[in-house]
Amino acid sequence: MTAADWGLLMVAAFGAGWVDAVVGGGGLILLPAILVVAPGLSAQAALATNKMTAVFGTFTAVVTFSRKIALDWRVMAPAGALAAAASACGAAAVSLIDRDLFIPIIMVVLVGVAVLVTVRPTIGTATGNEPPTRRTFLTVVFLAAGAFGFYDGILGPGTGTFFIIAFAAFLGTEFVRSAAMAKVLNLGSNVGALIFFAATGHVMWQLGAAMAVCNVVGALLGSRAALSRGSGFVRIVLLVVVVCMVVRLGWQQFG
């Protein structure tokens, strides 16, 4: 790798950290950059190194959000552990999934997300009139942890985005609070996948550590931007990221 290659990856890691802290989808930026710089790298090694980088950025976002937003750790901590276990299972099941079928399904879901946020401009920008019951809150959080955690281990792009939309749509939480909750579960899913990839020897530790520094800086600035600019800002970034993910996955599948 040349100095220019390292520079590209550091910039990509910073951008991925910023985007991931605000709305998720940082893998949309970093994974393609890794594969461009190191085209001979296996997909598992690229995914593993990306996860190693993302763990540090996501942890930074969790700390930053939690200082400003009160989270129910009695629920979020075990839900994060569930997301970790589900993600490890997803990583182990990668070879069993037909991605030629799986990716179009994800694209359809992402288009549905974009349509939902567009036609319902109030979603995620104002707290619901009636707070969810405890049972509803627990059901949504743990179902999201299991389902999206498993998805993160198999494919990954947009996991944080799916968490945010699920919390905003089914719990009526604002996008900023949804992002804070999403980061906790996304941290769990990143850790679970990383443990599996590390155990199977796919992580490029030196490269991942270097990118992690830039990812942490991006995550810190991104989470602060979300907190200071509010849910309207997060909504705009969310729409942009969802459109980019649809284009990226479409190119990967059909390009």
Side-chain angles (χ1 to χ4, degrees):
M1 289 174 58
T2 66
D5 292 335
W6 280 92
L8 173 63
L9 289 181
M10 297 308 107
V11 172
F14 172 84
W18 192 94
V19 169
D20 210 47
V22 178
V23 293
L28 175 73
I29 298 173
L30 191 53
L31 268 177
I34 294 174
L35 294 174
V36 166
V37 170
L41 199 63
S42 70
Q44 284 182 312
L47 285 168
T49 307
N50 174 65
K51 287 299 179 191
M52 187 259 180
T53 302
V55 163
F56 290 93
T58 309
F59 177 77
T60 301
V62 169
V63 172
T64 305
F65 276 119
S66 62
R67 288 175 176 174
K68 299 291 184 179
I69 296 177
L71 297 173
D72 188 346
W73 289 105
R74 292 176 300 175
V75 176
M76 300 309 299
L82 174 60
S87 181
C89 292
V94 166
S95 61
L96 304 178
I97 302 298
D98 184 357
R99 294 198 175 194
D100 289 339
L101 177 63
F102 196 61
I103 291 177
I105 294 174
I106 299 303
M107 291 175 62
V108 171
V109 173
L110 286 170
V111 171
V113 167
V115 171
L116 177 66
V117 175
T118 301
V119 300
R120 290 184 57 188
T122 59
I123 188 173
T125 59
T127 305
N129 294 329
E130 296 183 4
T133 64
R134 186 68 172 176
R135 181 176 181 179
T136 299
F137 181 80
L138 292 172
T139 300
V140 171
V141 170
F142 280 94
L143 281 179
F148 299 144
F150 186 79
Y151 164 76
D152 197 20
I154 292 178
L155 194 61
T159 301
T161 307
F162 290 142
F163 278 129
I164 291 173
I165 288 297
F167 298 148
F170 296 107
L171 298 179
T173 55
E174 295 179 349
F175 276 140
V176 174
R177 176 170 292 278
S178 296
M181 295 167 60
K183 287 299 99 185
V184 176
L185 302 191
N186 207 177
L187 175 61
S189 65
N190 283 336
V191 169
L194 177 61
I195 290 173
F196 175 83
F197 285 129
T200 53
H202 288 101
V203 182
M204 299 177 66
W205 295 103
Q206 291 181 335
L207 176 61
M211 292 191 298
V213 174
C214 297
N215 196 257
V216 164
V217 176
L220 180 62
L221 296 178
S223 52
R224 286 182 175 178
L227 287 168
S228 63
R229 299 190 181 186
S231 295
F233 168 75
V234 176
R235 178 177 181 272
I236 294 173
V237 177
L238 175 66
L239 284 171
V240 172
V241 170
V242 166
V243 170
C244 290
M245 280 194 288
V246 171
V247 172
R248 173 68 181 88
L249 290 174
W251 178 263
Q252 177 181 337
Q253 183 73 7
F254 307 111

